[in-house]
Amino acid sequence: MAEKADVVETVKQGYAFDGAALELGALLVDGTPEPEAAVRIPLGMMNRHGLVAGATGTGKTKTLQLMAEQLSAAGVAVFAADVKGDLSGISQPGAGGDKLLARTKAIGQDWTATGFPTEFYALGGQGTGIPIRATITSFGPVLLSKVLGLNDVQESSLGLIFHYADKAGLTLLDLKDLRAVIQHLTSDEGKADLKDLGGLSAATAGVILRALIGFADQGAEAFFGEPEFDTADLLQQRDGKGVISLLELPNLQDRPALFSTFLMWLLADLFHDLPEVGDVDKPKLVFFFDEAHLLFNDASKAFLDSIAQTVRLIRSKGVGVFFVTQTPKDVPDAVLAQLGSRVQHQLRAHTPNDAKALKATVSTFPSSSYDLGEVLTQLGIGEAIVTVMNESGAPTPVAWTRLRAPQSLMAPASAEQLTATVQASPNNAKYSETVDRESAYEILAAKVQAGAEQAAAEEQAKEQAKPEPESRPRAQKPEKSMVEQVIGSTAFKQFARTAGREIVRGLFGAARRK
């Protein structure tokens, strides 16, 4: 490696920005921090996206916390997926101590215990946080098809289903609405409705319905519905500080598709609503997605293409996206190529696959005086190899960095603190109560029932209009009651097959939104 003085001077010049910046830490040379060589990220480059990577237990989440704190202090709103619950302490002042203060002093950090304004959310209310929901209509057929893994023909058919629902005034709010419309369109009456539009094959409808069942099993049933979350609520400030919105994701590993769905909907909704701002002094909002590999696992090519396009375009709306994961290999190349800032924690090389991942990671960094293949396995906890975009858009020198300590609590907040924060939030009153207004499911169920009653009435009228036979009357069977006639009608049986089972489940509270 080059002489110490040369390394220090290179980093000092490479990270000397004119505008506001997030302070990451100090250059580390031969195990000694050099406070005069501060490692930073320009605030105006935070919407050029980034990656925080490293093995488990190396400090990725604390790096996320450090960056989120400084963004909030600069008035920038933050969204983070709190997979393990570790980030909830950001709402509370940190706990000091001799060891912590000795570390912060050595790197030139003036540490003060500070809590930051925080909102806690949970998908569909499955957790302590404020419920976040969305409607099927707001997703649209393209995004939903990608999430469900449908092929081109099936996606086209789902688009036809949405088109029919829009034209027929059948509002799609939740999964049962969509299932009801699909079942209707495969019935005799529904087939006639689609006669001029090409029709919907029973096989394709079956594939879509089965995909919806699997999606619902991952928790999507609770996520879809009303009131729908307004993404503008993520862009809040309090007393000049940006609000940090944390999304609780319990048992995420068992339902990664739901996480993927939410991410794409949220980013797409923001992209649709936010105006173009181009290059700005600071972003409006920065996303941090912890355990990002879950977003990309088993995703279809179409879905990955959609993510890459969204990440590329949303920068112009003043939104930055940072992925937090174990290795850069967890992120597709099309997305990785757009991540301008890199904070790489320790990697391990205990297996051939580890060694391969290490080699691939080294190849993604700019050239430097470090032997990165060796250095990346030697980093201590709270240390990272850093390179970011400078204010001109060029990469900064690669720097072995000892990172600053978060000023908020580096542990989960207590259950009492979480509950108190949620209960005090104005958004809790706005989103806590589920609304189940009349939509496609109720409209179609009422239509089928009305048809059954009409058919029964017509059948009864025909019976009454028949002439009395001239021969000696035989003993007559007791006339069926109206209820018996309705139940026995063909239309009612069709209703029972398509919607009746769901109605019973709704009346008795089973299979409802949790």
Side-chain angles (χ1 to χ4, degrees):
M1 199 170 80
E3 294 295 329
K4 175 179 176 179
D6 293 338
V7 174
V8 172
E9 188 60 28
T10 298
V11 170
K12 283 178 64 176
Q13 293 182 6
Y15 290 85
F17 309 129
D18 296 328
L22 274 63
E23 301 290 341
L24 290 181
L27 175 69
L28 203 62
V29 182
D30 297 331
T32 303
E34 301 291 338
E36 69 273 20
V39 178
R40 318 155 76 211
I41 300 180
L43 185 59
M45 288 290 144
M46 288 299 289
N47 68 332
R48 301 300 179 96
H49 314 318
L51 175 72
V52 179
T56 300
T58 56
K60 299 188 301 295
T61 302
K62 298 301 178 284
T63 299
L64 188 164
Q65 187 172 349
L66 172 68
M67 296 169 70
E69 289 178 353
Q70 295 184 61
L71 287 165
S72 175
V76 178
V78 174
F79 170 88
D82 190 9
V83 176
K84 299 181 289 290
D86 297 345
L87 286 172
S88 58
I90 205 168
S91 62
Q92 306 298 320
D98 293 340
K99 185 176 179 180
L100 174 69
L101 294 177
R103 175 190 174 94
T104 58
K105 182 179 180 181
I107 61 177
Q109 178 184 3
D110 183 14
W111 189 90
T112 304
T114 310
F116 295 83
T118 308
E119 291 276 15
F120 298 101
Y121 294 99
L123 289 185
Q126 296 180 326
T128 304
I130 300 164
I132 286 185
R133 303 181 185 89
T135 64
I136 290 290
T137 293
S138 72
F139 265 63
V142 175
L143 177 57
L144 192 57
S145 294
K146 289 174 179 175
V147 172
L148 296 175
L150 304 182
N151 62 31
D152 291 342
V153 173
Q154 293 155 0
E155 179 178 334
S156 175
S157 296
L158 188 60
L160 178 65
I161 293 166
F162 272 75
H163 174 78
Y164 169 79
D166 291 342
K167 295 298 183 182
L170 299 173
T171 308
L172 302 177
L173 300 180
D174 50 28
L175 290 180
K176 75 178 189 301
D177 287 329
L178 182 56
R179 288 193 295 262
V181 171
I182 296 173
Q183 291 166 343
H184 168 71
L185 292 177
T186 55
S187 68
D188 293 339
E189 182 182 358
K191 289 177 182 177
D193 291 343
L194 286 183
K195 185 177 181 181
D196 297 331
L197 299 176
L200 174 67
S201 76
T204 299
V207 170
I208 297 173
L209 286 171
R210 287 191 295 273
L212 288 174
I213 291 171
F215 193 39
D217 289 343
Q218 293 187 26
E221 197 84 61
F223 173 52
F224 288 106
E226 290 187 314
E228 184 173 74
F229 183 71
D230 184 356
T231 51
D233 286 335
L234 297 178
L235 305 174
Q236 298 181 34
Q237 289 188 351
R238 291 179 192 161
D239 300 324
K241 292 183 177 181
V243 172
I244 300 172
S245 299
L246 298 181
L247 177 66
E248 181 183 358
L249 295 169
N251 304 319
L252 174 62
Q253 289 81 353
D254 297 331
R255 45 183 189 158
L258 184 57
F259 175 50
S260 304
T261 305
F262 173 73
L263 167 65
M264 290 307 301
W265 170 73
L266 193 60
L267 289 180
D269 196 69
L270 283 166
F271 181 77
H272 180 270
D273 292 345
L274 291 176
E276 293 277 346
V277 295
D279 294 326
V280 290
D281 293 336
K282 63 181 181 181
K284 296 180 178 180
L285 177 69
V286 175
F287 277 70
F288 291 94
F289 290 100
D290 202 356
E291 302 293 343
H293 66 281
L294 296 175
L295 171 65
F296 304 110
N297 283 353
D298 301 322
S300 66
K301 183 180 183 300
F303 186 60
L304 294 178
D305 290 343
S306 181
I307 294 175
Q309 182 180 21
T310 303
V311 172
R312 181 171 63 252
L313 296 177
I314 204 166
R315 180 191 68 80
S316 64
K317 306 284 187 168
V319 177
V321 182
F322 275 69
F323 296 98
V324 184
T325 190
Q326 294 200 8
T327 75
K329 286 185 65 177
D330 294 334
V331 181
D333 290 345
V335 176
L336 189 62
Q338 301 177 54
L339 309 183
S341 296
R342 300 282 298 279
V343 181
Q344 178 67 60
H345 290 264
Q346 181 194 122
L347 287 176
R348 300 179 182 124
H350 300 321
T351 69
N353 284 337
D354 290 343
K356 186 176 180 181
L358 175 62
K359 185 177 180 180
T361 298
V362 170
S363 68
T364 63
F365 277 88
S367 61
S368 71
S369 58
Y370 295 107
D371 180 355
L372 290 179
E374 182 178 349
V375 170
L376 287 174
T377 62
Q378 296 177 351
L379 295 171
I381 296 174
E383 297 176 5
I385 294 296
V386 177
T387 180
V388 303
M389 273 189 175
N390 65 21
E391 292 168 314
S392 300
T396 58
V398 177
W400 187 340
T401 307
R402 178 163 290 173
L403 298 167
R404 291 189 167 208
Q407 298 183 103
S408 57
L409 184 64
M410 290 187 283
S414 68
E416 293 76 14
Q417 290 167 334
L418 288 176
T419 300
T421 302
V422 170
Q423 293 297 325
S425 172
N427 285 340
N428 188 49
K430 183 176 180 181
Y431 297 114
S432 61
E433 293 298 326
T434 304
V435 176
D436 192 9
R437 63 185 172 94
E438 185 180 67
S439 51
Y441 174 80
E442 288 80 12
I443 293 172
L444 289 173
K447 183 178 180 181
V448 170
Q449 187 172 15
E453 292 174 351
Q454 181 180 353
E458 291 174 354
E459 185 69 24
Q460 184 180 26
K462 288 180 181 179
E463 290 293 331
Q464 292 175 346
K466 287 181 180 180
E468 290 291 334
E470 295 181 1
S471 59
R472 188 178 68 176
R474 292 177 294 178
Q476 298 291 320
K477 294 182 179 179
E479 184 175 320
K480 293 183 179 179
S481 68
M482 178 66 72
V483 172
E484 290 173 320
Q485 293 179 49
V486 170
I487 291 176
S489 69
T490 302
F492 184 86
K493 290 177 181 178
Q494 175 70 15
F495 163 70
R497 285 194 298 269
T498 58
R501 193 179 309 166
E502 284 293 324
I503 286 179
V504 171
R505 291 169 68 196
L507 289 173
F508 289 95
R512 304 287 290 175
R513 298 188 194 95
K514 297 179 182 177

